[in-house]
Amino acid sequence: MTEVEVPESHPRYESLLTRHRIEAGVEKGITSRQGLIAQGRGEAYDYLLGERTIPSADEAERAAAAQFLLADQAVVSVNGNVAALCPGEVVVLAEVTGADIEVNLFNRTEERMERIADHLREHGARDVLGLAADGRIPGLDHERAKVDADGIGSADTVLVPLEDGDRAEALAEMGKTEIVVDLNPMSRSAQSASIPIVDNVMRAVPNMTEHARSLEDASEQELRDIVAAFDREAALAAAEDAIRSGDLG
Ligand code: PTJ
């Protein structure tokens, strides 16, 4: 038996584990109640994708890993859903790629900010950014505009899992290379990303880490070639096609 009291062989194990983590996140004051709704929406897309990493998502995750290794400063942006679903996996990705971790919330309260930072530290994070909030993303009038000047504010590459569309667009307008993880390929955030990853964040983050590990010895030119070869339009089209032809059986 595991975290969700069902054996890993259960056909809906991953889905039940995800639900359990989000529920526990709400109980712990990490995840917002809106996060439950966002999770439900994500699950519907994941179901149609067959709850697997499709080949175009794997390519996107490889390109994202290469981009992280190339970056002068990469940051993983963490919200209440990501903190509940894959805190340890975010910490390992940051360690392997030398990235920073920053908490950034749509429904921002100081209490949730602190709880998420503590939760990430419990999972091994050394430094957690986001609490200083001494920078702003221009053109946004909600709480997500608040960033750390020496975190997302100065980063050249930002990974934004489970985002709402307008910050994703604003970050792109700031000239940052933006990597989005979103199970909906039609969402504004996926559409505005330099590298859209249409996959469940619980699969995407560890797979990015695995790719980063295997690219450890790659030259700068090899990494640049991987990023240049990635075709965002083709990846979005492949994901939409997989969803539209998804089998509900
Ligand atoms: O913690 P906060 O306050 O920052 O709030 C976070 C949420 C997620 C509540 C907020 O950003 C929000 O309302 O987001 P949306 O607009 O519902 O968008 C969430 C997107 O993430 C949707 O397109 C979902 O399909 C997608 N999604 C949901 N769960 C997952 C996911 N994508 C990848 N992996 C998931 N597990």
Side-chain angles (χ1 to χ4, degrees), residues 15 43 82 119 143 145 153 171 174 200 219 230 247:
S15 169
E43 258 185 42
V82 175
H119 184 67
E143 292 293 299
L171 285 172
M174 285 175 87
N200 194 316
S219 67
F230 176 71
D247 180 4

Side-chain angles (χ1 to χ4, degrees), residues 32 34-35 38-39 41-42 45 79-81 85 104-107 112 144 162-164 181-184 187 199-201:
S32 70
Q34 283 187 24
Q39 169 62 30
R41 186 148 58 151
Y45 287 110
N79 65 15
N81 285 51
L85 291 176
N104 180 277
L105 300 181
F106 182 66
N107 305 291
R112 269 183 78 221
R144 267 207 160 137
L162 274 85
E163 182 73 34
D164 62 342
V181 181
D182 193 321
L183 280 158
N184 176 6
S187 77
D199 200 3
N200 194 316
V201 69

Side-chain angles (χ1 to χ4, degrees), residues 80-123:
N81 285 51
V82 175
L85 291 176
C86 51
E89 291 83 349
V90 164
V91 171
V92 176
L93 173 65
E95 259 171 30
V96 168
T97 58
D100 294 323
I101 300 175
E102 178 161 339
V103 183
N104 180 277
L105 300 181
F106 182 66
N107 305 291
R108 183 184 176 116
T109 64
E110 285 317 300
E111 198 185 351
R112 269 183 78 221
M113 292 292 294
E114 296 281 357
R115 283 193 183 174
I116 292 172
D118 285 347
H119 184 67
L120 290 165
R121 285 188 205 104
E122 279 163 27
H123 283 84

Side-chain angles (χ1 to χ4, degrees), residues 166-236:
D166 52 352
R167 188 176 74 133
E169 283 175 355
L171 285 172
E173 264 171 42
M174 285 175 87
K176 299 183 189 296
T177 301
E178 199 199 359
I179 303 162
V180 161
V181 181
D182 193 321
L183 280 158
N184 176 6
M186 282 84 79
S187 77
R188 277 199 297 149
S189 25
Q191 294 283 336
S192 65
S194 319
I195 304 178
I197 299 175
V198 183
D199 200 3
N200 194 316
V201 69
M202 284 174 78
R203 297 189 296 268
V205 171
N207 198 33
M208 247 184 94
T209 304
E210 220 173 282
H211 281 301
R213 284 201 170 110
S214 68
L215 291 170
E216 216 169 41
D217 299 324
S219 67
E220 190 178 327
Q221 192 52 50
E222 281 172 277
L223 296 175
R224 288 196 188 287
D225 289 346
I226 291 168
V227 174
F230 176 71
D231 181 342
R232 60 182 297 286
E233 303 300 333
L236 286 169

